[in-house]
């Protein structure tokens, strides 16, 4: 079941006052459902009722000579319709730039739907979101669980203040905290679920420590999404689980250790391998542990394993990635950054995410 929201007087939020936006939103939901998403009626209701355009009053697209800003108050009706089409398209949107660098975005809606359903939330659960972005994901969580159950953290005070404004305009008031997401939010702990919408070099150890036994953590690591279950042990919490099947690209967690820098394609590694997304996932996951040739040998020997065969374990002050078995022969420490990840110079870079 979903939670009721507060609709600010005079805003028209939820009143159907913008038929064009309403139709665009319902079309987006129908398209996600047609592709197999939003099977949970509660999450489908959230996507049908939370108005994304309230969270992205403007965004940036690539234009001639740089970025072009599209905004909902543009006096040109053609440009406003273009803005609205983008808002309710199934794409990530660049929502905040600084000195030409993307620092915040709104994630691709179908990816958001997949992640939220993977959390397997139930009524009464509390959720910590890392990476507030424009606040849309926090609104979806608040719609599902109620404002009191949702805490969202972002490092940038401009981002959190803007998100609070968007959320209030849409009728939601979760707790939005300005702080270092890698440290979680201990003052609101414990949590039944943690969801991150920013790419991580490894899982911050503070997160399992702030979870209830049986909690789930869903986080972008390498170019995938890992779903960890937290168990209590005599030595402290142990978080462990597999990657989901889907690729995922997000803005890096600000304040975390730097991600590996891409370099040119190494000699001796076939172009077909570098161009394969699953091989690049392995390269990113094992950066600092395997060189590209070792990774290629493993990839071919194991018959090009899918993401679901990989996993991550966080326990006893350590964490490592693995293939098939956390105690098996193929394990790699996470957070080791001594070797950079090769880049495929012939393919477009990934679209960033956010929330």
């Amino acid at each position: 079941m979903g939670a009721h929201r507060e609709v600010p007087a005079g805003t028209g939020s939820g009143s159907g006052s913008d038929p064009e936006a309403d139709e665009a939103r319902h079309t987006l939901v129908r398209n996600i459902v047609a592709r197999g998403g939003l099977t949970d009626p509660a999450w489908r209701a959230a996507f049908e009722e939370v108005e994304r355009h309230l969270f992205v009053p403007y965004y940036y697209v690539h234009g001639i000579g740089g970025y072009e800003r599209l905004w909902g108050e543009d006096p040109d009706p053609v440009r406003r319709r273009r803005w609205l089409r983008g808002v309710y398209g199934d794409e990530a949107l660049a929502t905040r730039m600084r000195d030409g660098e993307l620092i915040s975005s709104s994630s691709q809606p179908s990816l958001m739907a997949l992640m939220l359903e993977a959390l397997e939330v139930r009524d009464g659960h509390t959720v910590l979101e890392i990476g507030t972005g424009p606040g849309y994901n926090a609104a979806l969580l608040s719609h599902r669980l109620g404002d009191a159950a949702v805490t969202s953290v972002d490092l940038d005070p401009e981002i959190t203040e803007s998100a609070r404004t968007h959320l209030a305009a849409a009728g939601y008031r979760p707790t939005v905290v300005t702080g270092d997401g890698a440290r979680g939010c201990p003052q609101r702990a414990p949590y039944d679920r943690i969801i991150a919408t920013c790419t991580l070099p490894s899982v911050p150890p503070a997160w399992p420590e702030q979870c209830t036994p049986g909690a789930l953590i869903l986080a972008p690591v390498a170019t995938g999404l890992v779903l960890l279950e937290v168990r209590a042990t005599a030595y402290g919490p142990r978080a462990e689980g597999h990657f989901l099947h889907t690729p995922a690209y997000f803005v890096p967690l600000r304040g975390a250790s730097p991600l590996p820098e891409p370099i040119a394609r190494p000699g001796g590694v076939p172009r077909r391998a570098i161009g394969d997304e699953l091989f690049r996932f392995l390269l990113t996951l094992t950066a600092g542990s395997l060189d590209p040739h070792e990774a290629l040998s493993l990839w071919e020997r194991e018959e090009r394993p899918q993401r679901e065969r990989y996993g991550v374990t966080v326990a006893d002050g350590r964490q490592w990635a693995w293939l098939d078995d956390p105690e098996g022969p193929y394990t790699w420490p996470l957070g080791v950054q001594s070797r950079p990840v090769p880049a495929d110079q012939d393919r477009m870079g990934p679209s960033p995410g956010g929330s």
Side-chain angles (χ1 to χ4, degrees), residues 58-71:
Y58 62 85
Y59 57 89
Y60 298 89
V61 296
H62 285 287
I64 299 175
Y67 284 96
E68 173 188 7
R69 192 178 84 152
L70 298 176
W71 61 304

Side-chain angles (χ1 to χ4, degrees), residues 74-210:
D74 198 308
D76 182 343
V78 174
R79 288 180 58 82
R80 186 187 182 280
R81 283 194 295 272
R82 183 181 169 202
W83 162 81
L84 190 63
R85 283 197 304 270
V87 167
Y88 289 111
D90 191 23
E91 299 291 342
L93 300 175
T95 56
R96 191 170 292 267
M97 309 287 297
R98 185 172 295 158
D99 300 326
E101 179 185 359
L102 174 63
I103 63 169
S104 184
S105 62
S106 180
S107 301
Q108 182 182 16
S110 61
L111 180 58
M112 296 173 73
L114 183 150
M115 293 175 69
L116 290 170
E117 290 196 296
L119 277 182
E120 300 181 352
V121 298
R122 298 192 303 272
D123 294 342
H125 277 169
T126 56
V127 178
L128 173 64
E129 178 194 34
I130 306 297
T132 307
Y136 179 50
N137 199 58
L140 293 166
L141 285 164
S142 296
H143 184 286
R144 175 65 181 84
L145 296 169
D147 294 345
V150 179
T151 303
S152 185
V153 178
D154 203 290
L155 185 64
D156 193 313
E158 292 183 6
I159 290 175
T160 52
E161 182 59 33
S162 180
R164 290 188 195 102
T165 300
H166 298 157
L167 284 157
Y172 301 100
R173 297 186 182 277
T175 299
V176 178
V177 177
T178 304
D180 183 355
R183 297 181 180 180
C185 187
Q187 64 268 32
R188 297 269 297 171
Y191 304 100
D192 300 297
R193 300 289 187 267
I194 295 180
I195 181 172
T197 58
C198 41
T199 293
L200 305 160
S202 58
V203 178
W207 295 1
E209 293 170 359
Q210 293 174 27

Side-chain angles (χ1 to χ4, degrees), residues 204-240:
W207 295 1
E209 293 170 359
Q210 293 174 27
C211 285
T212 60
L216 297 179
I217 298 173
L218 180 60
V221 175
T223 61
L225 294 168
V226 68
L227 184 64
L228 308 176
E229 181 177 1
V230 181
R231 295 186 291 109
T233 75
Y235 305 100
R238 179 184 180 98
E240 188 169 87

Side-chain angles (χ1 to χ4, degrees), residues 27-63:
T27 298
L28 170 63
V29 172
R30 286 194 297 269
N31 289 339
I32 294 175
V33 170
R35 294 195 296 271
L38 293 176
T39 57
D40 183 332
W43 284 122
R44 178 168 180 168
F47 276 81
E48 287 176 335
E49 296 176 25
V50 177
E51 298 164 303
R52 193 187 189 201
H53 64 275
L54 297 179
F55 296 89
V56 282
Y58 62 85
Y59 57 89
Y60 298 89
V61 296
H62 285 287

